[in-house]
């Protein structure tokens, strides 16, 4: 037992689409959380663990902070709040533009914590070299951040320096989890989330936000896993679009999700997908609970 070992909980917070899930995946080296170019992709708090010889960091990915319009939004915002209590380090992510500075100021002023807040300016690969300095100055003016670091989560640029910063702020502590432990997310939920990710990728307009995916039935064999995932949508017309001509869209969603799931879980996966209409599920407490969106 290393007496200098450090460990603790690290929250990833920020507005929708800034790259929180991408960063968590980069930091732990596996794709645990789903990612998309549409805002409000993450709906639940997702945990992923990075263990080295010197420290164990338990990352909590959270939904993007936004104004709640539905009961689902309310649930999402509550899961952000729970990721702020008993936390050792907060990573507050933003993009390298001053456009949302005032909104971030508002969010940060509402955060009550004793934990250090590290401002992570993500997506610096979108800037010309050296272009990130004015934004850092602007952000320095809105909050007393413990550190400010520009990175590219997508290209893993400067993320090693970010890991050093995280380590610096972690307290001395024990290993909470076995060295090879990666996430608290059950396999069936990871697969259902991957199906939702592919639906987000392949569908446009208002449909993605009205989709929920639920793993209904799982059968495990020694070398393979058979799983049924139901895609819930809000309208009959959406069901047709999700299925696509001759079932082509649904087939594509299933194929892409299965490939990712096999890569991550290392077993052969038989995935069956169904589409069902549940009008108004985003504001229905009973349905939300059944879909796993309840605290
Ligand atoms: N160019 C660039 N794009 C990035 C980077 N990090 C993330 N992205 C992209 O930004 C989009 C949003 O990424 P996510 O990781 O889903 O963002 P998020 O903050 O988790 O979003 P929500 O879950 O909706 O709050 C995706 O299209 C990512 O590929 C980066 O470093 N550079
Ligand atoms: Mg996310």
């Amino acid at each position: 037992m290393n007496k200098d070992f450090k460990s603790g909980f690290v929250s990833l917070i920020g507005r929708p689409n800034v790259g929180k899930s991408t960063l968590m995946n980069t930091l732990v080296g596996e794709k645990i959380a789903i990612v998309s170019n549409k805002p409000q992709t993450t709906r639940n708090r997702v945990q992923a663990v990075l263990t080295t010889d010197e420290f164990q960091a338990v990352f909590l990915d959270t939904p993007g902070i936004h104004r709640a319009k539905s009961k689902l939004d309310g649930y999402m915002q509550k899961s952000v709040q729970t990721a702020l209590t008993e936390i050792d380090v907060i990573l507050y992510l933003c993009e390298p533009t001053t456009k949302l500075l005032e909104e971030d100021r508002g969010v940060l002023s509402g955060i009550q914590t004793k934990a250090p807040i590290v401002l992570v300016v993500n997506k610096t690969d979108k800037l010309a070299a050296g272009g990130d300095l004015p934004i850092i100055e602007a952000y320095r003016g809105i909050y007393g951040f413990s550190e400010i670091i520009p990175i590219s989560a997508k290209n893993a640029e400067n993320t090693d320096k970010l890991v050093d910063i995280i380590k610096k702020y972690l307290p001395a502590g024990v290993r909470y989890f076995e060295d090879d432990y990666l996430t608290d997310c059950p396999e069936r939920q990871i697969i259902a989330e991957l199906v939702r990710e592919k639906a987000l990728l392949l569908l446009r307009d208002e449909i993605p936000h009205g989709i929920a995916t639920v793993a209904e039935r799982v059968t495990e064999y020694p070398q393979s896993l058979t799983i049924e995932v139901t895609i819930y949508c809000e309208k009959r017309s959406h069901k047709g679009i999700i299925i696509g001509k001759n079932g082509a869209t649904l087939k594509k969603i299933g194929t892409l999700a299965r490939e990712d799931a096999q890569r991550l879980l290392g077993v052969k996966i038989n995935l069956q997908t169904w589409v069902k209409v549940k009008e108004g599920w985003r504001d229905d407490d009973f349905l939300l609970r059944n879909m796993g969106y309840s605290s």
Side-chain angles (χ1 to χ4, degrees):
M1 174 80 191
N2 176 356
K3 70 172 172 32
D4 297 324
F5 198 77
K6 297 177 126 193
S7 65
F9 291 80
V10 183
S11 286
L12 293 109
I13 309 276
R15 295 182 43 79
N17 217 40
V18 292
K20 300 176 293 295
S21 302
T22 305
L23 176 59
M24 185 173 79
N25 293 340
T26 298
L27 290 171
V28 303
E30 290 281 0
K31 186 173 157 184
I32 302 297
I34 65 165
V35 165
S36 92
N37 62 0
K38 304 197 173 55
Q40 297 165 37
T41 298
T42 304
R43 287 180 177 165
N44 291 303
R45 194 178 56 72
V46 181
Q47 178 180 298
V49 182
L50 172 65
T51 307
T52 72
D53 291 343
E54 298 172 321
F55 69 92
Q56 184 168 69
V58 183
F59 294 104
L60 305 174
D61 182 22
T62 64
I65 295 167
H66 63 280
R67 233 170 264 121
K69 292 198 201 106
S70 64
K71 284 187 176 170
L72 172 66
D73 290 339
Y75 164 73
M76 287 159 65
Q77 296 315 297
K78 225 185 259 164
S79 56
V80 178
Q81 289 310 316
T82 61
L84 286 172
T85 48
E86 297 183 41
I87 284 297
D88 299 292
V89 185
I90 294 170
L91 304 182
Y92 191 88
L93 272 76
C94 70
E95 293 197 34
T97 138
T98 48
K99 223 171 56 197
L100 294 168
L101 196 69
E102 286 312 314
E103 289 194 36
D104 279 327
R105 186 204 295 271
V107 171
L108 286 156
S109 68
I111 294 178
Q112 291 185 358
T113 182
K114 289 200 183 84
I117 301 188
V118 176
L119 180 74
V120 179
V121 183
N122 188 30
K123 309 196 185 182
T124 53
D125 55 285
K126 284 176 152 184
L127 297 173
D132 51 24
L133 293 168
I135 174 82
I136 287 184
E137 281 318 309
Y139 268 90
R140 214 187 289 284
I142 68 162
Y143 191 84
F145 296 105
S146 301
E147 310 262 351
I148 298 183
I149 178 170
I151 66 155
S152 165
K154 201 170 176 176
N155 300 348
E157 268 164 27
N158 233 16
T159 46
D160 50 345
K161 285 213 188 77
L162 175 60
V163 170
D164 289 342
I165 289 174
I166 294 165
K167 191 182 132 194
K168 174 173 143 193
Y169 287 103
L170 286 177
V174 299
R175 276 179 171 74
Y176 293 102
F177 302 103
E178 300 281 321
D179 285 6
D180 59 356
Y181 179 89
L182 201 56
T183 179
D184 64 341
C185 199
E187 284 181 355
R188 52 186 294 141
Q189 195 181 325
I190 290 179
I191 297 169
E193 281 286 270
L194 285 169
V195 171
R196 194 163 64 83
E197 181 187 70
K198 303 314 171 191
L200 284 166
L201 179 72
L202 296 174
L203 301 168
R204 262 172 297 140
D205 302 331
E206 82 277 34
I207 302 178
H209 286 123
I211 281 179
T213 52
V214 178
E216 305 281 359
R217 224 177 308 172
V218 187
T219 327
E220 286 186 61
Y221 303 102
Q223 258 85 48
S224 72
L225 200 151
T226 295
I227 184 163
E228 289 181 26
V229 175
T230 302
I231 302 173
Y232 290 98
C233 62
E234 291 181 313
K235 292 184 186 151
R236 272 212 91 71
S237 58
H238 291 178
K239 178 173 173 171
I241 296 168
I242 295 166
I243 292 171
K245 205 172 168 206
N246 300 324
T249 307
L250 186 59
K251 191 170 172 203
K252 182 102 188 150
I253 289 171
T255 304
L256 292 174
R258 181 172 48 78
E259 285 169 358
D260 273 16
Q262 286 186 166
R263 207 171 302 132
L264 181 67
L265 303 174
V267 292
K268 185 171 163 11
I269 291 170
N270 303 307
L271 172 64
Q272 284 166 33
T273 48
W274 310 93
V275 184
K276 286 185 189 160
V277 182
K278 285 264 189 252
E279 261 172 59
W281 69 262
R282 274 191 277 179
D283 274 307
D284 185 316
D285 286 322
F286 177 76
L287 292 175
L288 283 171
R289 234 181 350 262
N290 278 334
M291 291 167 174
Y293 300 125
S294 71
S295 23

